[in-house]
Amino acid sequence: MTRARALIAGGGGAVGVALGRELRARGYQVVSAARDRAGLEAELGATGCELLEVELTSEESVRERFGPLEDVEVFVYNAGRIELAPLAETTAAMFLASLQVNALGAFHCARVVASSMLARGRGTMIFMGATASVRGGARTSAFAAGKHALRGLAASLAKELGPQGVHVAHLVLDGKVWGERTRQRFPDARRDACLEADAVARTVIGLIEQPRSAWTFELDLRPFTERWS
């Protein structure tokens, strides 16, 4: 019997690795995609995931790499770009890069994977958001713009595709995720003040397994120490 296929766009980082592991454990054939295949392979190791190299901001690249995957049951957009700087130091290039990775890439991917899901009348799309998806901060003009755009895209897709059998959800990660990338970028980060990637991945599985009579669109996760500000 052919296993259901799950596609993770942005398969690296703590959450991407944990997602691949959890989906594999539940019997999915997992395809993990990122811009740098060699880097992705180094992060994932021997997880059994199929690896793809793709430029998510390029419509041509996404269609070339994801188009042949006509049986995707689960799609997770986990790619992201964090640009943090005061307005005076935020360049147009930084702003545009945030929009391209955080939102445009998700749009390209959704257009490709939606067609086969709609043809089957089922499927799940999950978009990984952040605190900046729902509120901006003093240094997040570029990042918040990109994540707000992603949230708007996800809401629009949920309203369009949901009645046709495709579950679309947006997950707000209200805090840092504990992992190597966080430790490198935020040396002062404490584990008890961060989300655990495995816990995030299990939450995603819960969304995937929801019955269509009780679908969640948006869910927010935060560590117990996070301030609601």
Side-chain angles (χ1 to χ4, degrees):
M1 181 177 178
T2 302
R3 293 184 296 163
R5 190 191 302 271
L7 171 61
I8 305 171
V15 171
V17 173
L19 277 172
R21 185 167 54 242
E22 286 290 335
L23 287 163
R24 286 271 300 171
R26 282 161 175 76
Y28 285 91
Q29 179 184 352
V30 179
V31 179
S32 187
R35 178 179 295 170
D36 178 8
R37 190 185 190 283
L40 183 60
E41 186 172 12
E43 282 193 274
L44 293 180
T47 60
C49 296
E50 179 184 348
L51 306 184
L52 285 181
E53 185 168 290
V54 61
E55 176 50 66
L56 294 171
T57 64
S58 164
E59 182 178 13
E60 181 181 2
S61 180
V62 170
R63 286 196 174 280
E64 179 183 339
R65 305 303 265 170
F66 294 168
L69 306 177
E70 297 180 349
D71 56 349
V72 174
E73 290 280 349
V74 173
F75 169 69
V76 181
Y77 193 80
N78 183 53
R81 183 184 180 100
I82 302 176
E83 297 283 3
L84 302 177
L87 179 62
E89 298 174 18
T90 301
T91 65
M94 292 166 60
F95 193 87
L96 184 58
S98 178
L99 287 172
Q100 288 177 327
V101 175
N102 291 310
L104 181 62
F107 170 75
H108 290 326
C109 293
R111 289 195 71 199
V112 172
V113 301
S115 58
S116 60
M117 289 184 178
L118 290 173
R120 293 192 306 273
R122 67 178 188 274
T124 303
M125 295 186 193
I126 297 177
F127 299 90
M128 307 299 285
T131 306
S133 301
V134 294
R135 63 181 183 272
R139 301 171 65 245
T140 67
S141 55
F143 185 45
K147 284 299 186 180
H148 271 68
L150 176 66
R151 186 187 189 210
L153 171 66
S156 297
L157 294 176
K159 291 181 178 181
E160 178 181 348
L161 306 182
Q164 301 179 71
V166 179
H167 182 193
V168 179
H170 179 250
L171 190 58
V172 178
L173 302 185
D174 188 14
K176 302 178 182 70
V177 178
W178 184 252
E180 184 60 31
R181 294 183 184 182
T182 292
R183 292 191 292 273
Q184 288 180 356
R185 183 158 193 167
F186 305 100
D188 295 332
R190 304 190 329 271
R191 187 164 190 167
D192 67 351
C194 293
L195 294 144
E196 292 284 350
D198 287 342
V200 173
R202 287 193 293 270
T203 300
V204 171
I205 295 297
L207 290 171
I208 294 169
E209 294 178 347
Q210 284 183 335
R212 63 172 59 197
S213 64
W215 276 347
T216 294
F217 165 65
E218 188 162 75
L219 188 64
D220 58 334
L221 300 178
R222 60 183 58 84
F224 74 100
T225 57
E226 182 68 22
R227 293 178 298 171
W228 292 38
S229 58

